[in-house]
Amino acid sequence: MNIRVGHLYPDYLNIYADRGNIAVFARRAAWRGHELAVEEIGMDSRVEPGAHDLYYVGGGQDREQALVARNMAEKAAGLKEAVAGGAALLAVCGGYQLLGRFYRERSGVELPGVGLLPLHTVAGERRMIGDVLLECELEPGRRRTLAGFENHAGRTILDSGAQPLGRVIAGFGNDGESGLEGCRLERVVGTYLHGPLLPRNPWLADWLLTQALAHRTGGAAEELEPLGDALEAEAHAVSASRARARGGRYS
Ligand code: GLN
């Protein structure tokens, strides 16, 4: 199967090796006989609902976010329709913040958001930096952990009733207070976790690929055949133990 990926603003939103997440999607899809067709969606491109099965957007400094925010907000209708049609989406840090209603910089300048996720973000004085460990339950009754690295000034506030991606075991997460991290809306996952995220959390890559394949086939989400993942498990364990040891220190 050919999985069609829309990579939003790869030239602007790509820090801490976020682009590596695309390589993980491609490799894990190929190991199951599928192929990833990645199309860059930039300033001059439109979002065509139905044309992509999986969208991806990485993180970025305030400067890069300010360069793309208005253009990304103009793609709101297309993104919302695409997601309502069952497309999957992974957004990391700066990209995650711009999926909310707005991101207010430390200067007070407010960058418009897509308004796809029920949240808003306000930058604080001190950056939240370090290793992070979360507990997630994307499927009822199936608890798993996510390990990664965060570096953000933004404090993200979820609307009441909004679903977080996970509960913080170690680290700051959305705002350093709520104990929550990220946001999940159907097949959309937003998170502060860099690293890149997916090499040390292959189960999330597979979960997103499964959703994308379901969109591609129009059928139910069928779990992908498991892979050995010994190296990935080791990377996860190292990252998780670093988070437990150090997570959650202001810069
Ligand atoms: N510029 C945003 C912040 O500082 C996002 C940073 C990032 O993507 N790592 O919060």
Side-chain angles (χ1 to χ4, degrees):
M1 188 69 64
N2 184 330
I3 301 170
R4 305 159 300 171
V5 174
H7 188 174
L8 293 154
Y9 308 105
D11 300 334
Y12 293 90
L13 299 180
N14 174 41
I15 52 176
Y16 309 118
D18 287 343
R19 186 186 285 272
N21 289 321
I22 295 278
V24 173
F25 281 134
R27 180 57 47 206
R28 298 187 71 81
W31 281 328
R32 279 76 171 237
H34 303 297
E35 204 182 322
L36 223 64
V38 180
E39 186 185 350
E40 298 198 357
I41 300 179
M43 295 288 190
D44 308 322
S45 340
R46 281 168 42 80
V47 170
E48 303 287 351
H52 299 97
D53 310 300
L54 172 62
Y55 292 91
Y56 174 70
V57 58
Q61 303 303 354
D62 288 15
R63 182 179 170 282
E64 279 69 35
Q65 288 175 289
L67 290 171
V68 302
R70 197 161 297 286
N71 186 280
M72 192 165 163
E74 284 158 10
K75 293 180 173 47
L79 281 170
K80 288 176 181 172
E81 192 183 334
V83 162
L89 191 159
L90 174 62
V92 173
C93 205
Y96 160 49
Q97 295 167 337
L98 292 179
L99 286 185
R101 281 183 298 279
F102 63 83
Y103 170 52
R104 191 178 301 139
E105 300 178 343
R106 285 172 61 188
S107 64
V109 170
E110 212 166 272
L111 304 181
V114 169
L116 174 64
L117 290 178
L119 57 91
H120 67 274
T121 304
V122 178
E125 285 307 310
R126 302 180 67 183
R127 298 192 70 80
M128 298 191 276
I129 300 178
D131 296 281
V132 193
L133 184 62
L134 313 179
E135 184 181 67
C136 304
E137 197 175 332
L138 286 187
E139 291 132 310
R142 200 163 177 196
R143 295 206 172 143
R144 292 182 274 199
T145 54
L146 278 180
F149 173 81
E150 63 184 330
N151 181 345
H152 54 108
R155 276 82 172 143
T156 293
I157 313 301
L158 301 185
D159 294 359
S160 71
Q163 206 182 344
L165 171 61
R167 183 181 62 77
V168 175
I169 299 172
F172 293 100
N174 280 343
D175 57 5
E177 284 162 21
S178 64
L180 304 175
E181 201 291 320
C183 184
R184 189 251 168 122
L185 181 71
E186 289 154 21
R187 293 174 173 168
V188 177
V189 169
T191 178
Y192 272 114
L193 273 58
H194 292 283
L197 168 69
L198 298 180
R200 54 187 101 172
N201 303 287
W203 71 264
L204 182 61
D206 286 356
W207 186 84
L208 286 157
L209 285 172
T210 300
Q211 309 308 314
L213 279 165
H215 179 265
R216 189 76 177 92
T217 61
E222 279 156 30
E223 198 148 327
L224 294 170
E225 69 187 275
L227 297 170
D229 290 340
L231 206 53
E232 292 83 350
E234 212 180 306
H236 184 91
V238 169
S239 189
S241 66
R242 273 206 316 243
R244 289 182 197 281
R246 284 187 320 189
R249 291 216 177 108
Y250 285 101
S251 74

